[in-house]
Amino acid sequence: MSKAKDKRIKKFNKKRIWPSIVGLFFISVFAVGIVVGILALYVINLVDEKLYDAYKLSLKVAEYVTSEDLKELSSEDLKAHLSVVDTINAVTVLDENNDILWSNNEYTINLDKLLLYNDENSFNIDNYNIIIHSDSLGLFDVINDETELSDDILDKFMNKDVFLHISDFRSRNIPVIYAEIWIGVEVNGYNIFVLNDLNIYNHDLRMVLITFELILVLTIIFMIYYVSSIVSVARSQKKITKVLYTDMVTGGNNWLYFTKKGDKLLRKNRGRLNYAVVNLRMEKYRSFCTCFGVVEGEELMEKFYNALKKQFNNKELISHHDEADFGLLIAYKSEEDLIHRIEKIEQILWSQVPNVKLYFKFGVCIADNNDREIDSLYNNATTALEMLPEDSDEKIASYDIEMKKQQLWERRIEDEMDKALVTKQFKLYLQPKYSAKEEKLAGAEALVRWIHPVDGLIPPNKFIPIFESNGFILQLDDYMLEEVAAQQSKWSAEGRELFPISVNVSRAHFTREDLAEHICKIVDKYNVPHQYIELELTESAFFDDKYVLIDTVNQLRQYGFVVSMDDFGAGYSSLNSLKELTIDVLKIDADFFRGIESVDRGMLIVSEVIDLAKKLNMKIVAEGIENKEQVEFLTEQECDLIQGYYFAKPMSIEEFEEKYS
């Protein structure tokens, strides 16, 4: 799985509803906190206004009392003089020694409390000390002289010395705030204390309560809507996750689920269970679909999945992978137990379609304690499966250390091939071709050798198959063609006699329609006559787009190149290819000259092939010749050129020049 895809899936899977719920909680608390704060500020401001009104009233009472003769003053006189006397419960006048000079009723100020709080800072104009106390409601606390008072309070009491003390504070059943509060004012040398009612009635708080209730209702509605949205998103996410992990053919868990869950099981295993990853493949699935239909083929895959799923526990996995491939994660006790499980699986699959012969193969890769990626294990299992020969009776192939070495080698080759091409680690070798009659040099075949700076000589069979599978053979062929052209140009400049050198052209080249022009461009760069470049193509190229091949061969011959067919007889349609293609040289495969048992039959076939080639005006090259008897036979059959160890092995340019100078 690509990193970007894995990152997106992880990001999707990390989405949870709990962050949304926690977020809702904090949003609600924050909103309610703001509302409560605003309401508290409103109530505090309201209380401040009531306190200020009480102070002005107390000041008015104090001025009236001090203007009258205290001995003659009565409560009735006080009531008659003040129009708002209903909010005043008592008035007490103290002298300089805090003795009571006059009081209008039995309510008197608590001198103990007054003296308790009447310190030097109590009447300091620049640092007011307002003492508020309530044992019943706990709505107020003591504000000491270290508390920073608001500018509003300072502005209200800036011109008078004021001492506040709540002597009684209580709540009624109706939604009001009620308090009795003594306010002391110094007028004309007297300390006059007035007991005021501090009442906040329903109509003062009604809009506040209505606003609070409205906001509370809206908050509840918002919470209900938000929770519903969260639940809806959670359900949608669950559905999307189910679709994300569902295989469209079997309806079961798909490969994404298999890899994610498998990696998790392997990480948590820690050697407690023995695990093996198996690639189960139904052979000839496309033939089945051709005979019975694609829909029936997919239904068969669904049957296989449902039948096999019953054989796996919650510590094992099964998933459809590609076409007729299934990935299995199997926990086993021993190697015999694993083989038994696989054989049982095969029996179950056979039972799904008893009237049709089905073929299955299994690639197995054992997971060790360090394995954490099930994709890698499955890839190894697939490698083991694909190494089983098609005609083999073996059904189970296990990935072993040799396969791993081969994979590492292929990885290393692919990592270094580009650098090797740039630094010219690929060297041109030549194997001479001799004239059968005169037994002298008449041509050569270009062969590539990889001279690695560390490993030394790497044989072609170690890297050519890898290059053919990954497409690098195209660049290597162009490189070799250019090396041959450059060498021919060098020899021509030195005055040496030129002779045809054959260069292999991979079948992969014939996918491009401009191949002839491409080859001309490379050769013409060195001004080499085309007849000295022989282009070898393998018979297998005929199995691709034969029309493109035929057209390209005709163009190459028109440009003056010699075209030969390599390994003639190694395929299954040689005669048919000779009928379609017009070529100049036919190279007889070396296998005709190997094996004592079939030597007579082989020689007979070679004789007939040479005769056929002569009739088609083609030259004959026999390769792989290793002894004198073979040379004598070919000479007798009028073979044109002989190539093999009998005359010379492949050699470097330096060796070639030294030998044939």
Side-chain angles (χ1 to χ4, degrees):
M1 183 185 300
S2 70
K3 292 183 178 179
K5 181 179 179 181
D6 186 58
K7 186 177 180 180
R8 289 195 299 268
I9 293 172
K10 285 182 178 179
K11 185 177 180 180
F12 175 81
N13 287 335
K14 284 182 178 178
K15 292 181 179 178
R16 298 288 187 268
I17 63 173
W18 288 113
S20 300
I21 294 177
V22 173
L24 172 62
F25 172 77
F26 282 110
I27 289 173
S28 302
V29 170
F30 181 72
V32 172
I34 291 177
V35 173
V36 171
I38 293 173
L39 297 179
L41 290 176
Y42 177 81
V43 172
I44 291 173
N45 186 63
L46 191 60
V47 171
D48 283 346
E49 291 179 356
K50 295 292 184 179
L51 283 172
Y52 187 59
D53 291 341
Y55 162 71
K56 290 191 294 183
L57 182 58
S58 299
L59 186 59
K60 185 177 180 181
V61 171
E63 290 176 347
Y64 172 75
V65 169
T66 56
S67 65
E68 299 292 329
D69 185 0
L70 293 179
K71 296 180 180 180
E72 301 295 332
L73 185 63
S74 64
S75 297
E76 288 74 11
D77 295 334
L78 187 62
K79 291 179 181 180
H81 181 75
L82 299 174
S83 59
V84 288
V85 75
D86 291 338
T87 63
I88 295 177
N89 297 328
V91 176
T92 300
V93 180
L94 301 180
D95 59 14
E96 295 178 353
N97 298 321
N98 289 325
D99 294 328
I100 298 176
L101 298 177
W102 182 85
S103 179
N104 69 325
N105 58 25
E106 69 277 8
Y107 290 103
T108 58
I109 189 168
N110 190 329
L111 296 179
D112 294 333
K113 281 192 174 183
L114 176 63
L115 294 175
L116 176 65
Y117 295 113
N118 189 11
D119 56 20
E120 294 181 355
N121 295 323
S122 296
F123 294 95
N124 189 337
I125 295 178
D126 296 326
N127 189 10
Y128 294 102
N129 186 15
I130 303 175
I131 303 172
I132 304 175
H133 178 74
S134 171
D135 293 328
S136 58
L137 295 181
L139 295 177
F140 302 93
D141 203 349
V142 175
I143 304 176
N144 57 37
D145 57 350
E146 296 179 357
T147 304
E148 183 179 359
L149 300 178
S150 67
D151 292 339
D152 291 338
I153 296 177
L154 292 176
D155 290 339
K156 292 174 184 178
F157 304 108
M158 198 67 187
N159 297 322
K160 295 292 179 181
D161 294 337
V162 178
F163 175 79
L164 304 178
H165 176 261
I166 296 179
S167 61
D168 184 21
F169 191 93
R170 58 186 178 274
S171 175
R172 298 179 179 175
N173 293 329
I174 59 176
V176 298
I177 296 176
Y178 175 84
E180 286 183 321
I181 159 180
W182 286 101
I183 297 179
V185 182
E186 182 181 2
V187 179
N188 297 328
Y190 295 102
N191 290 327
I192 303 167
F193 288 85
V194 181
L195 183 62
N196 290 262
D197 282 341
L198 182 63
N199 299 331
I200 299 178
Y201 296 96
N202 282 346
H203 63 272
D204 296 315
L205 297 177
R206 186 174 294 118
M207 292 306 299
V208 175
L209 295 176
I210 291 175
T211 303
F212 180 78
E213 290 172 357
L214 179 61
I215 293 176
L216 184 62
V217 170
L218 292 176
T219 302
I220 293 173
I221 294 174
F222 169 75
M223 292 178 65
I224 294 173
Y225 171 78
Y226 196 79
V227 170
S228 300
S229 300
I230 293 173
V231 173
S232 177
V233 169
R235 289 179 178 177
S236 299
Q237 183 175 335
K238 187 175 181 180
K239 291 179 181 178
I240 294 173
T241 303
K242 186 174 181 180
V243 172
L244 186 67
Y245 288 138
T246 299
D247 180 67
M248 295 296 103
V249 175
T250 64
N253 294 325
N254 63 8
W255 192 249
L256 179 60
Y257 178 87
F258 183 82
T259 55
K260 302 296 288 185
K261 182 68 172 179
D263 289 347
K264 187 176 181 179
L265 288 174
L266 291 177
R267 284 195 302 269
K268 291 185 176 181
N269 182 43
R270 298 179 181 177
R272 289 189 291 268
L273 296 174
N274 297 321
Y275 273 120
V277 177
V278 180
N279 180 4
L280 160 61
R281 176 176 296 172
M282 174 185 168
E283 296 290 310
K284 302 180 180 180
Y285 172 72
R286 293 188 179 181
S287 298
F288 181 91
C289 292
T290 301
C291 296
F292 300 100
V294 176
V295 175
E296 286 74 9
E298 292 183 349
E299 289 178 351
L300 180 62
M301 294 299 104
E302 184 178 358
K303 285 183 180 180
F304 285 168
Y305 178 84
N306 292 331
L308 293 178
K309 187 178 180 181
K310 298 176 183 177
Q311 306 300 317
F312 290 78
N313 58 42
N314 59 356
K315 296 294 184 180
E316 299 176 317
L317 294 173
I318 175 174
S319 173
H320 177 242
H321 184 222
D322 181 38
E323 276 197 348
D325 285 20
F326 286 87
L328 313 176
L329 180 63
I330 300 177
Y332 65 95
K333 297 179 181 178
S334 63
E335 184 176 346
E336 292 76 13
D337 177 49
L338 178 60
I339 298 299
H340 175 73
R341 288 282 302 274
I342 293 176
E343 291 174 347
K344 183 178 179 181
I345 286 172
E346 186 178 32
Q347 295 294 329
I348 292 173
L349 296 177
W350 279 340
S351 67
Q352 301 306 304
V353 191
N355 298 324
V356 179
K357 182 62 176 177
L358 301 178
Y359 302 90
F360 300 97
K361 287 185 178 180
F362 302 85
V364 180
C365 181
I366 304 300
D368 59 34
N369 294 334
N370 296 322
D371 290 321
R372 295 292 183 270
E373 294 184 1
I374 200 168
D375 249 336
S376 177
L377 295 171
Y378 182 82
N379 182 65
N380 294 340
T382 302
T383 300
L385 185 149
E386 291 177 346
M387 286 188 176
L388 279 174
E390 292 185 5
D391 55 352
S392 174
D393 293 332
E394 295 292 331
K395 298 179 181 179
I396 303 174
S398 296
Y399 182 80
D400 55 24
I401 188 64
E402 293 302 322
M403 294 180 185
K404 186 172 184 178
K405 287 181 179 179
Q406 180 61 25
Q407 281 187 313
L408 293 174
W409 172 254
E410 291 180 5
R411 182 70 267 168
R412 182 184 174 195
I413 290 295
E414 291 182 341
D415 288 341
E416 298 187 14
M417 60 188 184
D418 291 308
K419 180 181 178 181
L421 193 67
V422 173
T423 57
K424 291 185 175 295
Q425 295 177 23
F426 297 108
K427 300 298 182 181
L428 173 62
Y429 272 55
L430 296 177
Q431 185 172 26
K433 297 177 184 178
Y434 278 74
S435 169
K437 291 182 180 181
E438 302 175 357
E439 293 191 3
K440 69 175 184 178
L441 181 66
E445 179 181 3
L447 301 172
V448 62
R449 295 293 183 266
W450 188 348
I451 310 300
H452 194 275
V454 177
D455 299 332
L457 177 64
I458 301 177
N461 63 338
K462 291 290 187 179
F463 60 86
I464 292 295
I466 300 174
F467 292 169
E468 288 178 338
S469 64
N470 65 21
F472 188 73
I473 192 67
L474 299 176
Q475 298 181 54
L476 183 61
D477 283 355
D478 288 349
Y479 172 85
M480 291 299 294
L481 178 61
E482 188 158 357
E483 288 290 296
V484 169
Q487 190 62 50
Q488 292 279 49
S489 178
K490 177 177 176 293
W491 284 340
S492 177
E494 293 173 352
R496 291 176 179 265
E497 181 184 358
L498 299 183
F499 47 82
I501 298 180
S502 59
V503 183
N504 184 269
V505 181
S506 173
R507 62 187 290 184
H509 282 285
F510 291 95
T511 57
R512 55 185 301 174
E513 297 181 358
D514 64 337
L515 178 60
E517 291 80 2
H518 176 70
I519 291 175
C520 279
K521 185 177 180 180
I522 295 175
V523 175
D524 292 345
K525 185 166 58 173
Y526 297 93
N527 298 317
V528 177
H530 291 181
Q531 66 266 27
Y532 294 112
I533 302 294
E534 180 180 326
L535 303 172
E536 288 189 5
L537 57 94
T538 58
E539 184 185 11
S540 60
F542 191 77
F543 299 139
D544 297 322
D545 192 335
K546 69 176 183 178
Y547 298 106
V548 173
L549 175 64
I550 293 171
D551 184 61
T552 302
V553 169
N554 291 336
Q555 290 183 45
L556 289 171
R557 296 183 74 246
Q558 289 174 6
Y559 286 132
F561 292 104
V562 177
V563 180
S564 64
M565 179 180 288
D566 193 15
D567 299 332
F568 181 80
Y572 297 96
S573 60
S574 301
L575 294 178
N576 186 54
S577 60
L578 289 180
K579 178 175 72 73
E580 299 283 350
L581 283 173
T582 302
I583 57 177
D584 303 297
V585 179
L586 193 66
K587 293 187 70 173
I588 302 176
D589 188 71
D591 284 344
F592 282 108
F593 306 101
R594 295 171 184 163
I596 299 176
E597 297 82 357
S598 60
V599 64
D600 293 337
R601 294 172 63 87
M603 293 304 181
L604 177 61
I605 294 173
V606 169
S607 176
E608 295 299 325
V609 169
I610 293 175
D611 184 59
L612 176 62
K614 294 294 182 181
K615 292 178 181 180
L616 294 175
N617 297 319
M618 291 186 293
K619 287 185 177 182
I620 296 294
V621 178
E623 60 180 344
I625 305 306
E626 299 180 351
N627 57 61
K628 185 176 181 180
E629 289 76 13
Q630 293 172 340
V631 173
E632 291 175 348
F633 169 77
L634 292 170
T635 302
E636 182 182 344
Q637 298 300 318
E638 298 183 353
C639 179
D640 297 296
L641 300 174
I642 296 175
Q643 177 183 343
Y645 280 15
Y646 177 76
F647 288 111
K649 297 179 180 181
M651 59 189 73
S652 66
I653 295 297
E654 294 77 14
E655 293 173 325
F656 189 89
E657 289 179 339
E658 181 180 352
K659 184 173 183 179
Y660 299 104
S661 58

